[in-house]
Amino acid sequence: MLSAIGKGLAILVGLIICAGIYLYVLSPQTAVELAQALERGRAGLTEHQVQVGEFNIHYLSGGEGETLLLLHGFGADKDNWTRIAADLTPQYRVIAPDLPGFGVSDHPQGVDYRAATQAQRVHDFVQKLDLGKVHIAGNSMGGAIAGAYAAAYPDETRSLWLLAPAAVVSAPVSELRARIGAGKKNPLLPSTHEEYYALLGFVFEEEPFIPAPLKFVLAERAIERNPLLTDIFFQISSDDLALEQALASSPVPTLILWGKQDRLLHVGGAAILNNAIPSSKMVIMDETGHAPMIERPHQSAEAFKAFQQNLPARVDKAPVAQEAEETQP
């Protein structure tokens, strides 16, 4: 009997190993989808989609409470927020869209992807889902869009959370800007797998574990989108938005969170924003690069929740919104 059980376990282990090798080597896309599903499930997030104007927008949603809208950065997507969402969904209704031009949302070439236009699209998205007054957060390019949103719709914004936002034009020159200014290849626009893997080392101070199949698939996506990303980067780098000016008289309570070792956008931008925005708080995280919500998800979430606890009490309540479309498999 024990011998039969042992043989059965050996067969089961063998099948699991074979399945793992298949997913890891022969079907990395399937491995990525499974990994994403597990991480989304741990955070209590499900995927949805909605038609907003000319764009079909995919987004993650989960949790209960006031709505917290999370906007990803350049070349990224909604899954940049799944690690931090596990610490946020117990207290907030988290919404993380693929911005137009990114992820699996519509991404036509030749349209306007500048921050003010994207902020208008985000506002249309908020209205379509009937989210009401929202907390809005953004990293990098998403931070510029979140800031433009708060500047344009202050009465519809509960609070603003800027995680190393772009568009702080008076900030010191970053390593990225210095590279581009010296005529070197832009690391944010990889055209090979090796360039994409180098980009990860450039973005993170301590690169989090990313399974090899996921790295491979992400590299493939970045290489495929290179022409579109090149166009979008040109648009946002020539944009005239300056957050330190746009938010100079903003009544919106604002948390500024920045990694001290950020190589893409100089950490000096944090103090510039903190001095410019009337109701703001600045948090600098040591040993952290450009994406604190990935590199330090728990600490970043705790900083946001602590900031919220110190805000004046609110008597208004956000409406309970319904998903616009069925959850995607």
Side-chain angles (χ1 to χ4, degrees):
M1 175 67 73
L2 291 176
S3 176
I5 292 175
K7 289 180 180 179
L9 288 173
I11 293 172
L12 178 60
V13 170
L15 289 173
I16 292 173
I17 292 173
C18 289
I21 293 173
Y22 171 78
L23 291 175
Y24 196 82
V25 178
L26 300 180
S27 184
Q29 179 62 46
T30 302
V32 168
E33 291 171 357
L34 287 174
Q36 286 181 333
L38 287 172
E39 195 157 43
R40 291 174 184 177
R42 184 180 68 88
L45 299 174
T46 54
E47 186 175 5
H48 308 266
Q49 59 179 305
V50 62
Q51 188 70 29
V52 182
E54 61 182 312
F55 293 94
N56 183 259
I57 296 179
H58 288 244
Y59 65 99
L60 299 176
S61 175
E64 296 181 356
E66 296 177 346
T67 299
L68 172 57
L69 185 62
L70 305 173
L71 307 182
H72 62 76
F74 177 80
D77 61 33
K78 59 187 178 297
D79 280 291
N80 271 30
W81 300 102
T82 52
R83 292 186 178 186
I84 194 173
D87 286 307
L88 296 171
T89 48
Q91 189 171 339
Y92 296 94
R93 181 172 186 239
V94 170
I95 305 285
D98 278 338
L99 291 165
F102 300 90
V104 291
S105 291
D106 287 345
H107 49 276
Q109 197 150 358
V111 302
D112 188 349
Y113 289 110
R114 290 173 297 178
T117 304
Q118 291 282 59
Q120 176 63 60
R121 292 176 182 136
V122 171
H123 186 252
D124 294 341
F125 172 78
V126 168
Q127 290 189 313
K128 186 64 178 275
L129 294 185
D130 194 22
L131 299 179
K133 197 170 184 178
V134 300
H135 302 277
I136 187 166
N139 171 238
S140 194
M141 176 199 73
I145 296 169
Y149 185 102
Y153 312 105
D155 294 336
E156 301 176 45
T157 308
R158 293 181 178 275
S159 71
L160 174 63
W161 184 13
L162 300 174
L163 299 92
V168 185
V169 299
S170 59
V173 174
S174 66
E175 184 175 338
L176 174 65
R177 284 177 59 191
R179 283 193 184 193
I180 295 174
K184 297 180 180 179
K185 181 176 174 60
N186 186 344
L188 300 185
L189 300 172
S191 54
T192 67
H193 286 80
E194 291 72 21
E195 290 176 353
Y196 182 82
Y197 302 149
L199 170 61
L200 295 177
F202 191 68
V203 170
F204 300 110
E205 175 66 12
E206 296 179 11
E207 184 178 334
F209 172 71
I210 304 175
L214 178 55
K215 280 188 178 181
F216 179 85
V217 171
L218 293 176
E220 289 282 295
R221 292 174 182 174
I223 294 167
E224 180 184 355
R225 295 279 181 94
N226 180 277
L228 174 62
L229 292 177
T230 300
D231 176 50
I232 295 176
F233 186 85
F234 175 78
Q235 289 190 39
I236 62 178
S237 61
S238 59
D239 198 343
D240 59 2
L241 173 68
L243 283 188
E244 63 266 50
Q245 297 173 15
L247 297 171
S249 59
S250 173
V252 178
T254 302
L255 174 64
I256 304 155
L257 179 66
W258 219 299
K260 188 175 182 179
Q261 284 72 35
D262 193 335
R263 302 165 71 186
L264 277 73
L265 297 171
H266 199 287
V267 66
I272 292 171
L273 285 177
N274 193 43
N275 290 332
I277 301 171
S279 179
S280 65
K281 178 183 178 181
M282 177 178 68
V283 175
I284 305 298
M285 302 184 72
D286 199 9
E287 299 182 354
T288 305
H290 184 60
M293 70 285 185
I294 297 176
E295 214 167 336
R296 301 277 184 262
H298 179 69
Q299 297 92 323
S300 298
E302 289 304 307
F304 177 71
K305 289 187 282 189
F307 173 71
Q308 292 295 319
Q309 287 177 351
N310 292 323
L311 295 180
R314 295 178 293 269
V315 296
D316 58 321
K317 295 183 179 180
V320 177
Q322 299 297 319
E323 306 301 347
E325 298 289 341
E326 294 183 358
T327 301
Q328 300 302 295

